[in-house]
Amino acid sequence: MKFRITLLLIICATFITNAQMRKWTLQECVTYAVENNLTIEQFELDLENAKIDESDAIGALIPDLNGSSTISSNTGLSFNPATNEPTTNTILNVNASLSSNVVLFNGLRNFKRIQRARLNGIANQYRVDDIKDDIRLNVANAYLQVLSNKETLKTFRAQLAVTEQDLKRTKELVESGVSPRGDLLEIEATAANQEQQVVNGESLVLISRISLAQLLQITDYENFDIAEESFEIPISDILSNSAKVIFDKALTFRNDIKFSESSVELSEKDLEIAKGARYPTLVGFFNYNTRYSDQNNAFGSFFDQLYIFDGISYGAQLNVPIFNGWSTRNNVKRAKINVDISKVQLEQQKLELETNINQAYVDVTSFFKAYEAAEKTLDARRLAYDYARERFDVGLMNAFDFSQAQSRLDNAEADVIRTKYDYIFRLKILEFYFGIPISLN
């Protein structure tokens, strides 16, 4: 028994440790964000409402059926329902009816409302998918920011480790009288500055992790972290396509464009519904009525009277709109204006998409050039640093000049990391516009 309990505790402890040490990949972050975002949940509820609207529109084509029953008792002067003469007796009356109405014609507005409800459901789905696209981009950006800050922090720590070795060596040289004390003070200042860089780097990593966790709506910030991976510049041939080609393809699948196109169709359907109010409305009806009174005993029992006094009526009612204070005409005018507004919004959406794609296209090129320039600068700074170290080691360079060479190397390494992830994110944006899913593989 003790062995089983011990084994169970070990398994539980291992499970808890693994859960706390979980490292999230980009794909896991994106999937989780899409599945748990409150904004998406809200618009998905709107989508459910759109489906109910379609059910309402279909129900308007089906005849309704309503039943009613009234039981009343009259005391005092009233009319006997059997003789139609005044009486002061207490009279018990029971009336029942069943009625049904169906719209036979109303300018086809009910059919148009069904079509509109279906279009509205499609539009809401596009809107939900568009929000998901935005979340994917935001999560990818936040994820890459964490990666960038982590790589920068590693660089700072590595630089501090080298400086600490230099500090130890310089102390020995100063104590032996080979190097002046000023060199030691300069190296100590460099180490203090690098320690501050490490602290700032740790803060940036923490802040970026919290920002990503908030996008995922995860509150356990302490145990949230991303996978420790180093991503190199991905290979992509996206620039083999012109910005115009990317834009033309984006028009065929982008959910924001599809949503705007659906809005145009919805406004056009609203216009058709508004015009339908110009036509007459024809409604068919059917009524069944029966009654009972305790004064009609000559006609038999309760059920006998219900059978004897029942009756039906049926027919059709035609309503012709002649004048309603220009209400119908004004509604049509408003609907036409809404159609024009939705078309303008669609063109504006296309223009914004084209602008964003052109900007993304230029960004990919410029940020890649910035990354290449940063790498060249780093190579030059690294050679200069190696040369400075050789001179410093043999006493031909003072500690101040050596620390300056090291500082320039530190800045160059940080620039390479920053420009690399800036380029990767811009590349992923452009690929996303081309329909390529977000991935760092």
Side-chain angles (χ1 to χ4, degrees):
M1 178 63 69
K2 290 182 178 181
F3 174 77
R4 291 180 179 178
I5 294 176
T6 303
L7 181 60
L8 180 61
L9 291 174
I10 292 174
I11 293 174
C12 291
T14 302
F15 175 79
I16 294 174
T17 301
N18 289 336
Q20 292 178 343
M21 296 177 62
R22 177 184 177 183
K23 304 293 184 178
W24 292 68
T25 65
L26 174 61
Q27 188 58 48
E28 288 174 337
C29 288
V30 169
T31 301
Y32 186 89
V34 169
E35 292 177 352
N36 296 275
N37 186 268
L38 293 178
T39 303
I40 293 178
E41 184 177 349
Q42 174 185 343
F43 283 110
E44 284 180 340
L45 292 175
D46 290 340
L47 182 59
E48 292 298 319
N49 275 331
K51 295 178 181 178
I52 296 175
D53 291 341
E54 181 180 353
S55 178
D56 286 339
I58 294 174
L61 293 176
I62 303 173
D64 61 12
L65 182 63
N66 299 287
S68 66
S69 177
T70 303
I71 300 176
S72 62
S73 179
N74 298 326
T75 301
L77 182 62
S78 60
F79 286 91
N80 188 317
T83 62
N84 203 29
E85 295 177 351
T87 182
T88 56
N89 294 334
T90 298
I91 301 175
L92 174 66
N93 293 310
V94 177
N95 294 281
S97 66
L98 195 66
S99 62
S100 177
N101 295 276
V102 60
V103 177
L104 301 175
F105 180 79
N106 66 345
L108 301 178
R109 281 179 288 173
N110 283 342
F111 291 98
K112 302 297 183 182
R113 290 189 179 104
I114 294 176
Q115 295 170 354
R116 188 195 185 283
R118 289 173 180 171
L119 285 173
N120 191 38
I122 295 173
N124 275 277
Q125 185 62 62
Y126 285 138
R127 181 170 60 172
V128 170
D129 292 339
D130 182 46
I131 294 173
K132 290 180 180 179
D133 289 343
D134 292 338
I135 290 175
R136 291 185 182 100
L137 283 177
N138 292 335
V139 169
N141 186 28
Y143 191 92
L144 289 173
Q145 189 61 56
V146 177
L147 286 178
S148 177
N149 291 337
K150 281 194 168 190
E151 283 203 19
T152 302
L153 178 59
K154 289 179 182 178
T155 301
F156 288 156
R157 286 173 174 170
Q159 293 163 354
L160 177 59
V162 173
T163 302
E164 287 175 344
Q165 293 296 323
D166 291 338
L167 181 61
K168 180 179 179 182
R169 176 176 173 276
T170 303
K171 282 182 179 180
E172 295 174 351
L173 293 176
V174 170
E175 290 173 356
S176 62
V178 176
S179 298
R181 183 170 179 76
D183 286 353
L184 177 60
L185 295 176
E186 189 64 40
I187 297 297
E188 287 178 343
T190 300
N193 181 63
Q194 290 179 344
E195 286 177 355
Q196 184 179 1
Q197 287 180 327
V198 169
V199 172
N200 292 337
E202 290 173 343
S203 297
L204 288 175
V205 169
L206 178 60
I207 292 172
S208 58
R209 279 172 48 202
I210 291 176
S211 297
L212 177 57
Q214 288 175 336
L215 279 177
L216 304 182
Q217 296 177 355
I218 293 175
T219 57
D220 188 9
Y221 303 139
E222 294 181 358
N223 295 316
F224 173 79
D225 202 356
I226 65 173
E228 294 287 343
E229 299 181 61
S230 178
F231 293 97
E232 301 301 328
I233 294 296
I235 299 175
S236 177
D237 61 349
I238 188 67
L239 292 180
S240 62
N241 302 283
S242 66
K244 182 65 169 57
V245 171
I246 297 175
F247 171 68
D248 289 340
K249 184 175 180 181
L251 289 177
T252 64
F253 71 89
R254 286 285 301 178
N255 291 303
D256 51 353
I257 299 298
K258 295 296 184 181
F259 176 69
S260 295
E261 291 175 343
S262 298
S263 296
V264 173
E265 294 180 7
L266 281 172
S267 61
E268 290 175 341
K269 195 60 63 176
D270 286 336
L271 175 59
E272 294 177 6
I273 293 173
K275 289 180 177 179
R278 296 170 172 173
Y279 295 92
T281 299
L282 181 63
V283 179
F285 63 86
F286 172 87
N287 295 296
Y288 172 81
N289 298 279
T290 187
R291 69 181 187 274
Y292 163 81
S293 175
D294 61 356
Q295 302 298 309
N296 293 336
N297 293 328
F299 293 96
S301 64
F302 176 80
F303 291 104
D304 291 336
Q305 289 189 40
L306 292 181
Y307 177 75
I308 293 172
F309 294 114
D310 68 349
I312 61 173
S313 62
Y314 52 87
Q317 180 180 354
L318 180 66
N319 295 315
V320 181
I322 298 175
F323 180 75
N324 56 4
W326 299 291
S327 175
T328 300
R329 186 186 68 173
N330 290 338
N331 287 337
V332 171
K333 287 182 177 180
R334 291 189 187 95
K336 288 181 179 178
I337 292 174
N338 288 333
V339 170
D340 293 336
I341 291 174
S342 60
K343 288 181 178 179
V344 171
Q345 290 174 341
L346 172 59
E347 293 305 315
Q348 181 65 31
Q349 192 74 43
K350 291 180 179 179
L351 181 61
E352 290 179 2
L353 176 61
E354 186 175 20
T355 300
N356 292 337
I357 289 177
N358 286 328
Q359 183 64 53
Y361 198 90
V362 172
D363 285 346
V364 169
T365 303
S366 60
F367 276 91
F368 183 70
K369 290 180 178 178
Y371 169 72
E372 288 183 322
E375 277 202 319
K376 292 179 181 178
T377 301
L378 176 59
D379 292 339
R381 294 301 184 194
R382 188 174 286 121
L383 290 174
Y385 173 78
D386 293 340
Y387 179 69
R389 169 167 286 282
E390 291 176 0
R391 289 172 58 83
F392 177 73
D393 289 342
V394 297
L396 296 178
M397 177 179 285
N398 59 44
F400 177 78
D401 292 336
F402 176 68
S403 66
Q404 292 299 307
Q406 186 171 13
S407 177
R408 287 189 286 268
L409 175 62
D410 296 346
N411 292 334
E413 289 178 338
D415 283 343
V416 168
I417 295 173
R418 177 182 57 80
T419 55
K420 180 179 78 170
Y421 284 101
D422 282 345
Y423 167 70
I424 291 175
F425 179 62
R426 267 68 184 186
L427 179 64
K428 294 305 171 182
I429 290 177
L430 190 60
E431 290 180 341
F432 196 63
Y433 283 131
F434 198 61
I436 300 175
I438 293 179
S439 173
L440 296 182
N441 296 328

